[in-house]
Amino acid sequence: MGNTGPADILEGMDELVDKLVALAFSAVLMAGGGAIDAAAAVGMAAGISASALFELAWPAHRRAAQVAVAAFLVASALVPGAFFLVPLAAYDSERAFGKGALWASLASTLPQALRMPEAIAWDAALVAAVAGSCLLSERTMRLAAAERDLHETRDALSDDLLALRAKNAELDEARNDEVHAAELAERTRIARSIHDSVGHTLTRLLLQVEALKIVHQGEDGVEEELSDLSEGLNEALSSMRASVHALEDTGLDAKAALGRLARESGIVHVTVACDLERDAPVAIRRFLVSFGREALTNAARHAHAEHAEIRVRSFPGMWQISCENDGAVPEGTEGLEERGMGLAGMRARCEELGGVFAIASKAGRFRVFASIPRTGRGSS
């Protein structure tokens, strides 16, 4: 029947059982009609063939299936003995034509049934057999429709569940990114706090020691001790600065920084896609953030863009970043780097890292692009 799903197989089994019942109705009618002659045998063969053709054609070739059923119903009105198989045809006609199938099936039997002895009894038996076949067909169709609805609902729920799981995974990732960004922000805050408090204190003490060295110049013992103290303070200040810079470097999250720049850019719609690894070199992270800042500033200030997209991609041999916007597109790209748009600085920083920088203007879009090799000066 052209269907291979579990629900379709079950539906096919139900239809087979129903048709066997309809065929039994036909057999009872034939048995009650006396001896089975050649016409009845031909009619039985024709009815079974028509039903088989219907199953082969339905539902892929709906019109052919309807023609097969209709042709047998017409034949049953003309060929003696064929109307015995009308209950089987009625089952198919209910599926093929729906409402009105019962009356069409009964009408096809009347010319032959009226010729039978005890016409009233035969009419009652035919009505019962045809009506029973139609009811079986309608019941099976309703059950099949309910089964299909059930499977569709289950599939829809499965799709919704998968979507929810994907959304939960997305939210978990976003939450982890936020936690990571908060940790890095706190690390940066601590570094700045150390720089502002301890650094200033050490600098003040160092200046005081240098002043005391001038005051006690010529006093060998005191001057030597002050020199040692000054040297120690210098070492402490250098160590503190190195630690602060290290904290600031580890606290730089390119993805979070680009997201913040996007929110603060003043452009209505900005999307950021960044798959940069968290342990990317500091020089690369700084360059990406600087690139994004300049590109978004140009898109907002010079192009007056409404949409912009920043995309950072990591490949085995390089890092790439691009920024594209739909703002006012300049005619050509020659001379743009001399117009105070920051493009020259972006190119210089890119080339310092051994990378390639490019700008393009096409189809109402302006795009800046940079590619940095992993073997370049920014990879260490």
Side-chain angles (χ1 to χ4, degrees):
M1 288 181 284
N3 298 322
T4 57
D8 298 319
I9 293 175
L10 291 176
E11 180 181 350
M13 294 297 295
D14 289 340
E15 291 169 359
L16 178 60
V17 172
D18 289 348
K19 284 198 170 186
L20 289 175
V21 174
L23 194 58
F25 291 159
S26 299
V28 170
L29 290 175
M30 293 177 68
I36 301 177
D37 55 11
V42 171
M44 177 181 290
I48 294 175
S49 298
S51 182
L53 288 174
F54 175 86
E55 291 298 338
L56 289 174
W58 186 266
H61 305 284
R62 178 181 292 267
R63 184 59 57 84
Q66 291 174 335
V67 169
V69 175
F72 178 75
L73 289 177
V74 172
S76 67
L78 303 175
V79 179
F83 75 97
F84 286 123
L85 266 293
V86 169
L88 182 60
Y91 183 88
D92 291 333
S93 65
E94 180 72 22
R95 295 162 64 192
F97 302 106
K99 295 180 178 180
L102 172 63
W103 304 112
S105 301
L106 290 175
S108 68
T109 65
L110 290 179
Q112 302 293 341
L114 292 175
R115 298 176 186 175
M116 298 293 293
E118 301 179 2
I120 296 178
W122 272 103
D123 287 346
L126 279 170
V127 169
V130 171
S133 295
C134 290
L135 289 174
L136 282 175
S137 181
E138 184 178 359
R139 183 213 62 165
T140 300
M141 286 192 297
R142 287 184 177 180
L143 289 176
E147 187 73 15
R148 283 192 295 270
D149 290 343
L150 179 62
H151 283 284
E152 290 176 0
T153 302
R154 186 182 63 186
D155 292 341
L157 289 175
S158 298
D159 292 341
D160 291 342
L161 182 60
L162 291 175
L164 285 174
R165 288 176 177 173
K167 191 65 177 178
N168 285 336
E170 197 176 303
L171 291 174
D172 287 340
E173 183 179 358
R175 182 178 60 202
N176 292 335
D177 289 342
E178 289 180 1
V179 170
H180 180 66
E183 291 176 352
L184 296 180
E186 181 64 15
R187 191 177 300 175
T188 302
R189 187 192 66 79
I190 293 173
R192 290 174 179 172
S193 177
I194 292 174
H195 180 272
D196 293 341
S197 58
V198 180
H200 290 171
T201 300
L202 289 175
T203 301
R204 186 174 66 253
L205 290 174
L206 185 59
L207 291 175
Q208 290 177 352
V209 170
E210 292 297 327
L212 288 174
K213 285 173 64 177
I214 295 174
V215 172
H216 297 281
Q217 187 175 7
E219 300 179 15
D220 294 337
V222 176
E223 187 175 1
E224 183 178 354
E225 291 179 359
L226 291 175
S227 295
D228 292 340
L229 181 58
S230 177
E231 183 178 350
L233 288 173
N234 271 317
E235 290 179 358
L237 186 59
S238 299
S239 178
M240 185 274 299
R241 285 173 176 169
S243 299
V244 167
H245 288 313
L247 283 173
E248 289 180 342
D249 289 341
T250 57
L252 178 60
D253 186 329
K255 183 177 181 179
L258 290 173
R260 184 176 62 255
L261 290 172
R263 291 189 297 271
E264 298 172 355
S265 65
I267 301 175
V268 180
H269 302 286
V270 182
T271 58
V272 177
C274 180
D275 65 355
L276 183 72
E277 60 272 24
R278 288 182 176 178
D279 59 348
V282 175
I284 296 299
R285 284 180 278 158
R286 286 177 177 169
F287 170 76
L288 295 177
V289 174
S290 175
F291 182 101
R293 181 183 297 107
E294 291 289 350
L296 289 175
T297 299
N298 288 338
R301 182 180 301 170
H302 301 289
H304 307 290
E306 294 184 359
H307 297 80
E309 178 184 13
I310 294 180
R311 184 177 295 275
V312 178
R313 292 177 290 184
S314 298
F315 297 101
M318 70 188 74
W319 295 280
Q320 290 183 349
I321 181 172
S322 64
C323 181
E324 187 172 305
N325 69 79
D326 64 350
V329 179
E331 297 181 359
T333 57
E334 295 182 2
L336 286 180
E337 296 185 27
E338 289 77 30
R339 298 184 188 178
M341 298 173 63
L343 297 176
M346 295 168 71
R347 178 184 292 277
R349 287 191 294 271
C350 178
E351 292 177 349
E352 285 177 2
L353 298 173
V356 176
F357 179 82
I359 56 179
S361 174
K362 185 178 180 181
R365 308 284 292 183
F366 184 73
R367 184 172 183 262
V368 288
F369 169 85
S371 178
I372 309 295
R374 289 182 180 266
T375 57
R377 288 184 288 275
S379 60
S380 58

PDB file of all heavy atoms in Angstrom, residues 37-58:
ATOM      1  N   ASP A  37     -22.854 -19.770 -10.061  1.00  0.00           N
ATOM      2  CA  ASP A  37     -22.662 -20.029 -11.478  1.00  0.00           C
ATOM      3  C   ASP A  37     -21.433 -19.296 -11.995  1.00  0.00           C
ATOM      4  O   ASP A  37     -20.699 -18.651 -11.236  1.00  0.00           O
ATOM      5  CB  ASP A  37     -23.911 -19.629 -12.261  1.00  0.00           C
ATOM      6  CG  ASP A  37     -24.296 -18.178 -11.996  1.00  0.00           C
ATOM      7  OD1 ASP A  37     -23.475 -17.456 -11.377  1.00  0.00           O
ATOM      8  OD2 ASP A  37     -25.389 -17.759 -12.409  1.00  0.00           O
ATOM      9  N   ALA A  38     -21.231 -19.385 -13.313  1.00  0.00           N
ATOM     10  CA  ALA A  38     -20.061 -18.769 -13.927  1.00  0.00           C
ATOM     11  C   ALA A  38     -20.079 -17.253 -13.764  1.00  0.00           C
ATOM     12  O   ALA A  38     -19.047 -16.614 -13.515  1.00  0.00           O
ATOM     13  CB  ALA A  38     -19.996 -19.134 -15.405  1.00  0.00           C
ATOM     14  N   ALA A  39     -21.271 -16.643 -13.868  1.00  0.00           N
ATOM     15  CA  ALA A  39     -21.364 -15.185 -13.724  1.00  0.00           C
ATOM     16  C   ALA A  39     -20.960 -14.734 -12.327  1.00  0.00           C
ATOM     17  O   ALA A  39     -20.275 -13.727 -12.142  1.00  0.00           O
ATOM     18  CB  ALA A  39     -22.785 -14.725 -14.039  1.00  0.00           C
ATOM     19  N   ALA A  40     -21.408 -15.504 -11.322  1.00  0.00           N
ATOM     20  CA  ALA A  40     -21.038 -15.156  -9.948  1.00  0.00           C
ATOM     21  C   ALA A  40     -19.537 -15.303  -9.737  1.00  0.00           C
ATOM     22  O   ALA A  40     -18.906 -14.488  -9.042  1.00  0.00           O
ATOM     23  CB  ALA A  40     -21.809 -16.036  -8.975  1.00  0.00           C
ATOM     24  N   ALA A  41     -18.945 -16.351 -10.331  1.00  0.00           N
ATOM     25  CA  ALA A  41     -17.498 -16.549 -10.196  1.00  0.00           C
ATOM     26  C   ALA A  41     -16.736 -15.403 -10.850  1.00  0.00           C
ATOM     27  O   ALA A  41     -15.746 -14.888 -10.304  1.00  0.00           O
ATOM     28  CB  ALA A  41     -17.096 -17.882 -10.813  1.00  0.00           C
ATOM     29  N   VAL A  42     -17.197 -14.998 -12.041  1.00  0.00           N
ATOM     30  CA  VAL A  42     -16.562 -13.869 -12.719  1.00  0.00           C
ATOM     31  C   VAL A  42     -16.721 -12.586 -11.902  1.00  0.00           C
ATOM     32  O   VAL A  42     -15.791 -11.776 -11.764  1.00  0.00           O
ATOM     33  CB  VAL A  42     -17.144 -13.690 -14.137  1.00  0.00           C
ATOM     34  CG1 VAL A  42     -16.640 -12.381 -14.762  1.00  0.00           C
ATOM     35  CG2 VAL A  42     -16.774 -14.874 -15.007  1.00  0.00           C
ATOM     36  N   GLY A  43     -17.927 -12.412 -11.346  1.00  0.00           N
ATOM     37  CA  GLY A  43     -18.155 -11.227 -10.528  1.00  0.00           C
ATOM     38  C   GLY A  43     -17.260 -11.205  -9.303  1.00  0.00           C
ATOM     39  O   GLY A  43     -16.732 -10.163  -8.923  1.00  0.00           O
ATOM     40  N   MET A  44     -17.085 -12.380  -8.667  1.00  0.00           N
ATOM     41  CA  MET A  44     -16.198 -12.452  -7.503  1.00  0.00           C
ATOM     42  C   MET A  44     -14.772 -12.101  -7.901  1.00  0.00           C
ATOM     43  O   MET A  44     -14.090 -11.314  -7.215  1.00  0.00           O
ATOM     44  CB  MET A  44     -16.249 -13.841  -6.887  1.00  0.00           C
ATOM     45  CG  MET A  44     -15.292 -14.025  -5.712  1.00  0.00           C
ATOM     46  SD  MET A  44     -15.339 -15.680  -5.016  1.00  0.00           S
ATOM     47  CE  MET A  44     -16.946 -15.660  -4.251  1.00  0.00           C
ATOM     48  N   ALA A  45     -14.295 -12.657  -9.018  1.00  0.00           N
ATOM     49  CA  ALA A  45     -12.945 -12.360  -9.472  1.00  0.00           C
ATOM     50  C   ALA A  45     -12.778 -10.874  -9.780  1.00  0.00           C
ATOM     51  O   ALA A  45     -11.755 -10.245  -9.448  1.00  0.00           O
ATOM     52  CB  ALA A  45     -12.612 -13.204 -10.694  1.00  0.00           C
ATOM     53  N   ALA A  46     -13.810 -10.312 -10.436  1.00  0.00           N
ATOM     54  CA  ALA A  46     -13.742  -8.890 -10.771  1.00  0.00           C
ATOM     55  C   ALA A  46     -13.723  -8.025  -9.514  1.00  0.00           C
ATOM     56  O   ALA A  46     -12.986  -7.032  -9.421  1.00  0.00           O
ATOM     57  CB  ALA A  46     -14.923  -8.509 -11.662  1.00  0.00           C
ATOM     58  N   GLY A  47     -14.534  -8.369  -8.515  1.00  0.00           N
ATOM     59  CA  GLY A  47     -14.573  -7.591  -7.280  1.00  0.00           C
ATOM     60  C   GLY A  47     -13.264  -7.644  -6.522  1.00  0.00           C
ATOM     61  O   GLY A  47     -12.759  -6.619  -6.038  1.00  0.00           O
ATOM     62  N   ILE A  48     -12.680  -8.853  -6.426  1.00  0.00           N
ATOM     63  CA  ILE A  48     -11.404  -8.989  -5.721  1.00  0.00           C
ATOM     64  C   ILE A  48     -10.301  -8.258  -6.477  1.00  0.00           C
ATOM     65  O   ILE A  48      -9.446  -7.593  -5.878  1.00  0.00           O
ATOM     66  CB  ILE A  48     -11.064 -10.473  -5.538  1.00  0.00           C
ATOM     67  CG1 ILE A  48     -12.090 -11.129  -4.591  1.00  0.00           C
ATOM     68  CG2 ILE A  48      -9.658 -10.634  -4.992  1.00  0.00           C
ATOM     69  CD1 ILE A  48     -11.920 -12.620  -4.441  1.00  0.00           C
ATOM     70  N   SER A  49     -10.338  -8.345  -7.832  1.00  0.00           N
ATOM     71  CA  SER A  49      -9.336  -7.641  -8.637  1.00  0.00           C
ATOM     72  C   SER A  49      -9.454  -6.129  -8.466  1.00  0.00           C
ATOM     73  O   SER A  49      -8.444  -5.414  -8.345  1.00  0.00           O
ATOM     74  CB  SER A  49      -9.493  -8.015 -10.107  1.00  0.00           C
ATOM     75  OG  SER A  49      -9.277  -9.408 -10.294  1.00  0.00           O
ATOM     76  N   ALA A  50     -10.705  -5.638  -8.454  1.00  0.00           N
ATOM     77  CA  ALA A  50     -10.911  -4.195  -8.277  1.00  0.00           C
ATOM     78  C   ALA A  50     -10.406  -3.733  -6.917  1.00  0.00           C
ATOM     79  O   ALA A  50      -9.791  -2.668  -6.785  1.00  0.00           O
ATOM     80  CB  ALA A  50     -12.395  -3.857  -8.443  1.00  0.00           C
ATOM     81  N   SER A  51     -10.638  -4.542  -5.887  1.00  0.00           N
ATOM     82  CA  SER A  51     -10.164  -4.192  -4.551  1.00  0.00           C
ATOM     83  C   SER A  51      -8.642  -4.203  -4.483  1.00  0.00           C
ATOM     84  O   SER A  51      -8.023  -3.337  -3.854  1.00  0.00           O
ATOM     85  CB  SER A  51     -10.741  -5.157  -3.515  1.00  0.00           C
ATOM     86  OG  SER A  51     -10.332  -4.803  -2.212  1.00  0.00           O
ATOM     87  N   ALA A  52      -8.034  -5.193  -5.184  1.00  0.00           N
ATOM     88  CA  ALA A  52      -6.569  -5.251  -5.205  1.00  0.00           C
ATOM     89  C   ALA A  52      -5.987  -4.038  -5.932  1.00  0.00           C
ATOM     90  O   ALA A  52      -4.991  -3.442  -5.491  1.00  0.00           O
ATOM     91  CB  ALA A  52      -6.114  -6.547  -5.874  1.00  0.00           C
ATOM     92  N   LEU A  53      -6.600  -3.673  -7.062  1.00  0.00           N
ATOM     93  CA  LEU A  53      -6.140  -2.489  -7.792  1.00  0.00           C
ATOM     94  C   LEU A  53      -6.275  -1.228  -6.948  1.00  0.00           C
ATOM     95  O   LEU A  53      -5.420  -0.333  -6.984  1.00  0.00           O
ATOM     96  CB  LEU A  53      -6.947  -2.341  -9.091  1.00  0.00           C
ATOM     97  CG  LEU A  53      -6.641  -3.356 -10.196  1.00  0.00           C
ATOM     98  CD1 LEU A  53      -7.605  -3.183 -11.361  1.00  0.00           C
ATOM     99  CD2 LEU A  53      -5.200  -3.190 -10.684  1.00  0.00           C
ATOM    100  N   PHE A  54      -7.351  -1.168  -6.183  1.00  0.00           N
ATOM    101  CA  PHE A  54      -7.543  -0.008  -5.306  1.00  0.00           C
ATOM    102  C   PHE A  54      -6.395   0.113  -4.304  1.00  0.00           C
ATOM    103  O   PHE A  54      -5.844   1.195  -4.093  1.00  0.00           O
ATOM    104  CB  PHE A  54      -8.881  -0.132  -4.577  1.00  0.00           C
ATOM    105  CG  PHE A  54      -9.105   0.962  -3.562  1.00  0.00           C
ATOM    106  CD1 PHE A  54      -9.654   2.177  -3.950  1.00  0.00           C
ATOM    107  CD2 PHE A  54      -8.766   0.788  -2.225  1.00  0.00           C
ATOM    108  CE1 PHE A  54      -9.855   3.186  -3.024  1.00  0.00           C
ATOM    109  CE2 PHE A  54      -8.958   1.795  -1.299  1.00  0.00           C
ATOM    110  CZ  PHE A  54      -9.501   3.003  -1.702  1.00  0.00           C
ATOM    111  N   GLU A  55      -6.025  -1.020  -3.677  1.00  0.00           N
ATOM    112  CA  GLU A  55      -4.958  -0.992  -2.678  1.00  0.00           C
ATOM    113  C   GLU A  55      -3.621  -0.620  -3.300  1.00  0.00           C
ATOM    114  O   GLU A  55      -2.813   0.080  -2.689  1.00  0.00           O
ATOM    115  CB  GLU A  55      -4.845  -2.356  -1.983  1.00  0.00           C
ATOM    116  CG  GLU A  55      -6.017  -2.689  -1.091  1.00  0.00           C
ATOM    117  CD  GLU A  55      -6.174  -1.710   0.054  1.00  0.00           C
ATOM    118  OE1 GLU A  55      -5.186  -1.031   0.416  1.00  0.00           O
ATOM    119  OE2 GLU A  55      -7.286  -1.591   0.595  1.00  0.00           O
ATOM    120  N   LEU A  56      -3.375  -1.086  -4.539  1.00  0.00           N
ATOM    121  CA  LEU A  56      -2.123  -0.741  -5.204  1.00  0.00           C
ATOM    122  C   LEU A  56      -2.054   0.745  -5.534  1.00  0.00           C
ATOM    123  O   LEU A  56      -0.979   1.356  -5.482  1.00  0.00           O
ATOM    124  CB  LEU A  56      -1.969  -1.563  -6.492  1.00  0.00           C
ATOM    125  CG  LEU A  56      -1.683  -3.057  -6.310  1.00  0.00           C
ATOM    126  CD1 LEU A  56      -1.702  -3.765  -7.651  1.00  0.00           C
ATOM    127  CD2 LEU A  56      -0.337  -3.273  -5.620  1.00  0.00           C
ATOM    128  N   ALA A  57      -3.186   1.325  -5.893  1.00  0.00           N
ATOM    129  CA  ALA A  57      -3.194   2.729  -6.321  1.00  0.00           C
ATOM    130  C   ALA A  57      -3.360   3.711  -5.174  1.00  0.00           C
ATOM    131  O   ALA A  57      -2.907   4.856  -5.256  1.00  0.00           O
ATOM    132  CB  ALA A  57      -4.306   2.951  -7.357  1.00  0.00           C
ATOM    133  N   TRP A  58      -3.983   3.289  -4.069  1.00  0.00           N
ATOM    134  CA  TRP A  58      -4.309   4.218  -2.972  1.00  0.00           C
ATOM    135  C   TRP A  58      -3.143   4.342  -2.002  1.00  0.00           C
ATOM    136  O   TRP A  58      -2.528   3.352  -1.656  1.00  0.00           O
ATOM    137  CB  TRP A  58      -5.548   3.697  -2.247  1.00  0.00           C
ATOM    138  CG  TRP A  58      -6.083   4.621  -1.201  1.00  0.00           C
ATOM    139  CD1 TRP A  58      -5.796   4.613   0.135  1.00  0.00           C
ATOM    140  CD2 TRP A  58      -6.996   5.690  -1.403  1.00  0.00           C
ATOM    141  NE1 TRP A  58      -6.465   5.599   0.775  1.00  0.00           N
ATOM    142  CE2 TRP A  58      -7.211   6.288  -0.147  1.00  0.00           C
ATOM    143  CE3 TRP A  58      -7.630   6.210  -2.516  1.00  0.00           C
ATOM    144  CZ2 TRP A  58      -8.053   7.370   0.012  1.00  0.00           C
ATOM    145  CZ3 TRP A  58      -8.478   7.283  -2.346  1.00  0.00           C
ATOM    146  CH2 TRP A  58      -8.677   7.859  -1.095  1.00  0.00           C
TER     147      TRP A  58
END
